[in-house]
Amino acid sequence: MSGPLTPYDPQDDGAEMAFDGRMSYGDYLALDRLLGAQVPISSAHDEMLFIIQHQTSELWMKLAIHELIAARARIAADDLEPAFKMLTRIARIFEQLNSAWQVLRTMTPSEYSEFRDRLGQSSGFQSYQYRAIEFLAGNKNAAMLRPHAHLKDVHGELERILREPSLYDEAVRLLARRGFAVDQAVLKRDVTRPHAQDESVRQAWIEVYRDPVRYWQLYELAEKLVDFEDYFRRWRFNHVTTVERVIGFKRGTGGTSGVTYLKRMLDVVLFPELWSLRADL
């Protein structure tokens, strides 16, 4: 019979085991700050789930903003290959965010009611990172700056994004640079307002889709944009159904109409020509 196994020591394989004065995994990721940021304000068991759900969503949104800004800059510079990778990553980020709703849905209405009153007027409606994503994607609305007026730096950053061309604005400008007859009114429009469907833009994308071999880069860009909006729409839909499942049609903690407000957002289309053209192919 063989004797007891000798416990494995990673140091025997060369693993670093001493970190006094050296950067460790926890140091690099600032885990002391990250894991210390979950501070429930009630004794309810499920409040920890609620906090982590929203904090991790904000982390993923931070990455989405990083990628959206970079992709927009690449499209503006006619450097599309890196933009494709970034747009793919953004879609996968929203796939991840969609999966997270499944965890929150394990919280029942009675469990949420144990701490909901302690949230005061705080609401996901006030997420400035979500607002930045909406603005970057093209759903511009200056009224949405007001909930952030008390945060000077945040308000200034959102106002800057509001006044810049959106991701789709840059895609439409790219069409014009590639020789498509995009109406000048579209190219010179007020970018602080959402893009409205335009026939010249629609005809340009139709031409791209009718000859994808000739316009392969533009064709791929269009499909990457559709992929992003597809997952973004699913995220909005899952948000609605999760809220309806947990609180029904109660008014939101931030004062919105709750599910009714969220359902209104389902009608928002970021890249309208890319969806409407499909009926003509």
Side-chain angles (χ1 to χ4, degrees):
M1 295 180 63
S2 61
L5 293 175
T6 301
Y8 169 67
D9 186 344
Q11 188 168 332
D12 294 339
D13 286 339
E16 297 288 347
M17 304 293 280
F19 293 93
D20 186 20
R22 305 167 71 189
M23 185 170 67
S24 69
Y25 173 83
D27 295 331
Y28 176 68
L29 296 177
L31 290 182
D32 55 341
R33 285 182 288 153
L34 186 65
L35 299 179
Q38 295 75 49
V39 186
I41 57 176
S42 78
S43 60
H45 175 79
D46 286 73
E47 189 182 355
M48 182 63 78
L49 161 63
F50 189 79
I51 291 171
I52 290 175
Q53 159 79 21
H54 289 85
Q55 287 183 340
T56 54
S57 294
E58 290 291 337
L59 285 172
W60 282 119
M61 284 192 279
K62 182 173 184 176
L63 180 58
I65 291 167
H66 175 71
E67 299 294 342
L68 278 165
I69 291 172
R72 182 183 61 176
R74 293 289 187 172
I75 294 169
D78 290 88
D79 188 15
L80 297 189
E81 295 297 332
F84 296 156
K85 176 66 176 292
M86 295 162 185
L87 291 169
T88 297
R89 183 172 293 163
I90 294 163
R92 298 293 83 77
I93 289 168
F94 275 93
E95 184 176 21
Q96 181 75 23
L97 285 166
N98 273 309
S99 297
W101 290 120
Q102 303 301 324
V103 184
L104 190 62
R105 284 172 181 165
T106 65
M107 183 174 64
T108 65
S110 58
E111 289 164 344
Y112 183 44
S113 67
E114 290 180 24
F115 64 90
R116 185 175 188 255
D117 288 345
R118 301 293 299 275
L119 301 178
Q121 288 73 51
S122 64
S123 166
F125 169 76
Q126 299 146 14
S127 168
Y128 52 81
Q129 289 203 125
Y130 174 72
R131 194 58 53 205
I133 290 171
E134 288 274 14
F135 284 2
L136 285 163
N139 187 22
K140 305 286 188 75
N141 184 349
M144 295 303 186
L145 293 172
R146 291 203 298 270
H148 312 290
H150 64 297
L151 300 170
K152 184 178 179 180
D153 291 346
V154 167
H155 186 275
E157 178 65 12
L158 286 175
E159 187 171 31
R160 181 184 65 80
I161 295 172
L162 178 75
R163 297 184 181 283
E164 292 176 343
S166 70
L167 178 73
Y168 193 55
D169 286 327
E170 292 296 358
V172 171
R173 292 177 181 188
L174 176 65
L175 286 173
R177 291 197 300 275
R178 295 288 175 95
F180 291 91
V182 176
D183 195 311
Q184 285 296 306
V186 178
L187 300 175
K188 296 178 180 179
R189 74 179 193 84
D190 179 2
V191 297
T192 66
R193 300 180 63 81
H195 171 83
Q197 179 155 221
D198 176 81
E199 186 59 25
S200 68
V201 175
R202 186 167 171 273
Q203 289 302 320
W205 284 123
I206 287 174
E207 188 174 344
V208 168
Y209 271 78
R210 283 179 174 160
D211 195 351
V213 174
R214 180 180 178 185
Y215 302 114
W216 183 258
Q217 279 198 326
L218 294 172
Y219 179 70
E220 187 168 3
L221 173 61
E223 283 298 290
K224 296 293 186 187
L225 291 171
V226 168
D227 198 33
F228 160 46
E229 183 165 5
D230 188 355
Y231 279 99
F232 195 23
R233 283 185 181 184
R234 294 186 209 184
W235 186 86
R236 284 174 171 158
F237 178 78
N238 279 317
H239 190 183
V240 171
T241 56
T242 300
V243 171
E244 187 170 358
R245 176 172 175 163
V246 175
I247 69 168
F249 284 82
K250 292 180 182 176
R251 186 164 289 275
T253 51
T256 69
S257 55
V259 169
T260 302
Y261 164 75
L262 294 173
K263 283 186 174 180
R264 189 181 305 126
M265 298 304 295
L266 295 179
D267 294 330
V268 174
V269 181
L270 298 172
F271 318 134
E273 294 87 359
L274 294 178
W275 294 94
S276 67
L277 69 83
R278 281 155 163 76
D280 296 301
L281 297 177

